[in-house]
């Protein structure tokens, strides 16, 4: 217990609103020495412990069980993230109850680190930012906890699309942690950041490392997720057969766990999109048919269904998809794509109207400042096809150059 006093002394001192210097003045113990106790560099004697307890009106022995329970809860929380159990609400409830029932400050240390992580996962970035300085100060020289702060600070940057800053934080965290499970989560976050930053090779490296550790500990939800991520990376590299292989493994992993049907549907949509990029529209529709009829209304599902039937010249079927899903006209995210596909189906093989060409061009222009090169390329190809059919050679050169530049920058 004496060896654990140092790391908990800071929580109690802060709860009492005292600086190290003020506690030193009240106890007669040099504040520099108190700092060594808090930093774990020196173990206090029984006599010193009594002085501190008297000053703080606190008994370490009585609260030792609470400290131990906090440590247990902290590890359970990290395990919940590792196994993707979606138990954050449960831990929020535990923290609230702890603050009400505990005789010590339940807000500092690992409890506050849990709140910091959950704030980031809930996209409450301003709240998380206010905690950072204090957390870094509290966990100074506790490398595993410092690594977690850097990791989730990096995740906050990644969620806000600041990928270079995210990668710097992940690199710092990687140098600090040796815990295998925490490394797996860090590798997963790093892999996605590198993917978004356009470094497919680095992304594959980190996703593969994460996958190995998730497999080692049997985190099936995370395993499935890494296979999907690896499949997406292979798709980005135009290795379509290998991407489909990875997606199929993800589906087998999902079959072994109780997971929402929406996860399976997401994988099938990715498989459909992969086959669209490969130009195999029959296979794409087969993957789309695996999605349950009552769940076929997702925007991308509808667009893929229209597109595949359009490319296969199944115009009547394409029009059926359009008619049955005209709710997309009022969907801010999908309306412009739905309108474009509707015009394409109406046009069929005929010379495109100015309205159709402009609809495709507007989508490409909207995409230009965004990160999804794959989809931009897809819509540039539509523009090029329409311009080719309308014999607009001058305008076509502009979009051919755009396509070349996108390919260079990938």
């Amino acid at each position: 217990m004496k060896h654990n006093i140092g790391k908990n002394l800071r929580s109690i001192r802060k709860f009492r609103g005292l600086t190290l210097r003020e506690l030193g003045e009240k106890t007669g113990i040099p504040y520099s020495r108190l700092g060594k106790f808090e930093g774990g560099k020196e173990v206090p004697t029984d006599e010193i412990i009594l002085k501190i307890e008297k000053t703080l009106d606190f008994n370490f022995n009585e609260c030792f069980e609470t400290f131990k329970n906090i440590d247990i809860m902290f590890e359970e929380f990290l395990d919940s993230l590792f196994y993707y159990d979606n138990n954050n609400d449960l831990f929020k409830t535990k923290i609230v109850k702890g603050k009400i029932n505990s005789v010590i400050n339940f807000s500092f240390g690992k409890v506050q680190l849990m709140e910091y992580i959950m704030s980031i996962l809930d996209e409450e970035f301003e709240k998380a930012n206010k905690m950072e300085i204090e957390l870094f100060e509290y966990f100074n020289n506790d490398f595993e906890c410092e690594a977690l702060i850097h990791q989730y600070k990096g995740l906050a940057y990644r969620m806000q699309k600041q990928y270079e800053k995210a990668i710097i934080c992940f690199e710092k965290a990687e140098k600090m942690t040796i815990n295998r499970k925490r490394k797996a989560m860090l590798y997963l976050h790093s892999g996605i950041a590198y993917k978004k930053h356009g470094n497919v090779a680095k992304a594959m490296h980190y996703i593969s490392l994460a996958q190995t550790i998730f497999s080692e500990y049997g985190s099936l939800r995370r395993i499935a997720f890494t296979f999907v991520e690896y499949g997406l990376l292979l798709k980005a590299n135009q290795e379509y057969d290998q991407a489909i292989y990875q997606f199929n493994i993800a589906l087998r992993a999902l079959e072994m766990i109780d997971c929402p049907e929406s996860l399976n549907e997401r994988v099938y949509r990715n498989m459909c999109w992969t086959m669209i990029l490969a130009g195999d529209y029959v296979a794409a529709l087969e993957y789309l048919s695996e999605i349950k009829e009552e769940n076929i209304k997702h925007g991308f599902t509808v667009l893929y269904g229209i597109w595949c039937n359009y490319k296969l010249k199944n115009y009547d079927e394409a029009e059926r998809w359009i008619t049955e899903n005209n709710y997309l006209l009022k969907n801010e995210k999908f309306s412009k794509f739905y309108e474009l596909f509707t015009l394409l189906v109406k046009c069929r093989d005929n010379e495109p109207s100015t309205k159709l060409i402009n609809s495709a061009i507007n989508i490409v222009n909207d995409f230009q400042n965004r990160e999804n090169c794959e989809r931009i390329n897809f819509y540039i190809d539509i523009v090029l096809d329409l311009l080719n059919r309308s014999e607009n050679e001058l305008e076509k050169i502009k979009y051919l150059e755009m396509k070349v530049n996108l390919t260079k920058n990938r």
Side-chain angles (χ1 to χ4, degrees):
M1 193 277 293
K2 282 173 66 175
H3 283 80
N4 287 321
I5 281 177
K7 67 178 183 178
N8 296 312
L9 172 58
R10 178 182 165 85
S11 287
I12 302 151
R13 175 177 61 78
K14 296 279 283 188
F15 185 44
R16 296 289 187 253
L18 297 172
T19 64
L20 273 174
R21 191 179 294 275
E22 287 169 340
L23 181 59
E25 289 171 358
K26 288 178 179 293
T27 58
I29 303 165
Y31 73 90
S32 58
R33 196 173 181 199
L34 289 169
K36 289 180 181 178
F37 298 153
E38 289 189 3
K41 295 175 182 177
E42 186 178 340
V43 178
T45 63
D46 291 338
E47 184 183 356
I48 288 174
I49 290 171
L50 286 171
K51 281 185 179 181
I52 293 171
E53 286 182 332
K54 185 176 180 181
T55 302
L56 294 174
D57 188 23
F58 186 85
N59 188 298
F60 283 101
N61 280 314
E62 289 177 4
C63 294
F64 179 67
E65 193 65 30
T66 301
F67 291 132
K68 190 168 72 172
N69 289 337
I70 288 173
D71 284 343
I72 292 169
M73 183 175 68
F74 182 69
E75 293 303 322
E76 287 175 347
F77 170 68
L78 294 179
D79 262 1
S80 176
L81 296 177
F82 180 85
Y83 290 102
Y84 200 41
D85 290 333
N86 289 320
N87 282 337
N88 285 359
D89 287 342
L90 172 64
F91 286 102
K92 287 175 185 176
T93 301
K94 285 185 175 183
I95 289 170
V96 170
K97 287 182 178 177
K99 287 178 179 178
I100 293 170
N101 299 325
S102 179
V103 295
I104 66 163
N105 184 11
F106 210 72
S107 296
F108 283 96
K110 291 180 177 177
V111 173
Q112 191 176 38
L113 181 50
M114 288 170 61
E115 291 185 300
Y116 173 76
I117 292 171
M118 286 189 280
S119 294
I120 289 169
L121 296 175
D122 291 339
E123 299 187 30
E124 296 174 350
F125 303 123
E126 188 175 340
K127 179 181 176 182
N129 287 340
K130 291 177 181 177
M131 299 183 191
E132 265 177 28
I133 295 175
E134 192 161 24
L135 283 169
F136 274 123
E137 188 181 342
Y138 183 90
F139 288 111
N140 185 35
N141 292 324
D142 183 335
F143 296 124
E144 288 295 339
C145 287
E146 275 193 77
L148 282 168
I149 303 167
H150 283 298
Q151 178 182 342
Y152 282 91
K153 182 178 181 178
L155 180 60
Y157 280 132
R158 197 202 82 198
M159 292 167 77
Q160 296 171 88
K161 300 185 178 182
Q162 299 180 52
Y163 303 121
E164 289 184 9
K165 288 182 178 180
I167 287 166
I168 290 169
C169 289
F170 294 147
E171 287 174 348
K172 288 179 182 177
E174 190 176 351
K175 291 174 183 176
M176 291 180 171
T177 183
I178 60 172
N179 183 290
R180 293 279 289 166
K181 288 183 177 179
R182 296 179 197 178
K183 274 185 176 289
M185 293 298 293
L186 177 57
Y187 292 149
L188 178 60
H189 293 151
S190 297
I192 297 172
Y194 275 113
K195 180 183 80 171
K196 295 290 188 180
H197 195 49
N199 192 332
V200 174
K202 275 270 193 181
M204 283 183 165
H205 170 70
Y206 279 110
I207 294 295
S208 181
L209 289 174
Q211 194 175 90
T212 299
I213 301 174
F214 288 133
S215 299
E216 181 183 332
Y217 288 95
S219 178
L220 292 176
R221 287 184 178 86
R222 293 293 186 190
I223 292 168
F225 186 81
T226 55
F227 276 112
V228 171
E229 282 297 315
Y230 207 85
L232 293 172
L233 291 165
L234 288 164
K235 172 176 63 65
N237 261 2
Q238 300 181 357
E239 299 175 58
Y240 301 124
D241 289 342
Q242 286 300 311
I244 293 295
Y245 175 75
Q246 294 288 320
F247 292 141
N248 273 315
I249 296 174
L251 287 170
R252 288 200 291 273
L254 289 172
E255 286 172 3
M256 298 170 67
I257 56 177
D258 181 22
C259 68
E261 187 64 33
S262 59
L263 290 178
N264 282 296
E265 291 165 10
R266 195 179 307 165
V267 177
Y268 282 122
R269 273 199 301 274
N270 279 317
M271 295 170 89
C272 175
W273 175 242
T274 300
M275 288 294 94
I276 286 173
L277 295 175
D280 189 342
Y281 305 111
V282 173
L285 282 174
E286 286 176 0
Y287 290 126
L288 217 55
S289 69
E290 295 292 336
I291 298 175
K292 291 182 178 179
E293 186 65 30
E294 63 269 25
N295 298 323
I296 209 83
K297 296 293 186 179
H298 188 282
F300 281 126
T301 304
V302 173
L303 293 176
Y304 296 164
I306 298 170
W307 179 256
C308 290
N309 281 293
Y310 165 72
K311 293 299 286 184
L312 292 169
K313 300 186 186 300
N314 298 332
Y315 298 124
D316 289 344
E317 182 63 12
E319 286 177 353
R320 183 186 70 79
W321 277 81
I322 290 168
T323 303
E324 292 180 1
N325 296 284
N326 60 6
Y327 69 92
L328 285 181
L329 278 171
K330 297 179 180 179
N331 185 298
E332 186 178 348
K333 182 177 179 181
F334 294 106
S335 60
K336 60 185 176 183
F337 306 110
Y338 174 83
E339 288 173 5
L340 171 64
F341 285 12
T342 300
L343 291 170
L344 283 167
V345 172
K346 285 180 179 178
C347 178
R348 302 193 178 188
D349 288 328
N350 301 319
E351 183 176 337
S353 65
T354 302
K355 181 180 180 181
L356 172 54
I357 294 171
N358 287 340
S359 177
I361 286 173
N362 288 338
I363 286 174
V364 170
N365 291 340
D366 286 346
F367 262 124
Q368 279 187 50
N369 295 322
R370 300 185 187 180
E371 59 197 46
N372 198 327
C373 294
E374 193 174 80
R375 292 195 183 273
I376 298 173
N377 263 318
F378 174 80
Y379 286 98
I380 288 175
D381 285 339
I382 293 176
V383 170
L384 289 170
D385 177 61
L386 294 173
L387 293 173
N388 190 53
R389 284 158 58 184
S390 66
E391 298 182 355
N392 190 335
E393 295 299 320
L394 189 61
E395 192 75 4
K396 195 167 82 171
I397 291 169
K398 172 185 171 182
Y399 288 95
L400 281 169
E401 288 177 348
M402 189 184 295
K403 188 174 178 69
V404 169
N405 289 332
L406 277 171
T407 305
K408 282 181 180 177
N409 292 330
R410 283 182 63 180

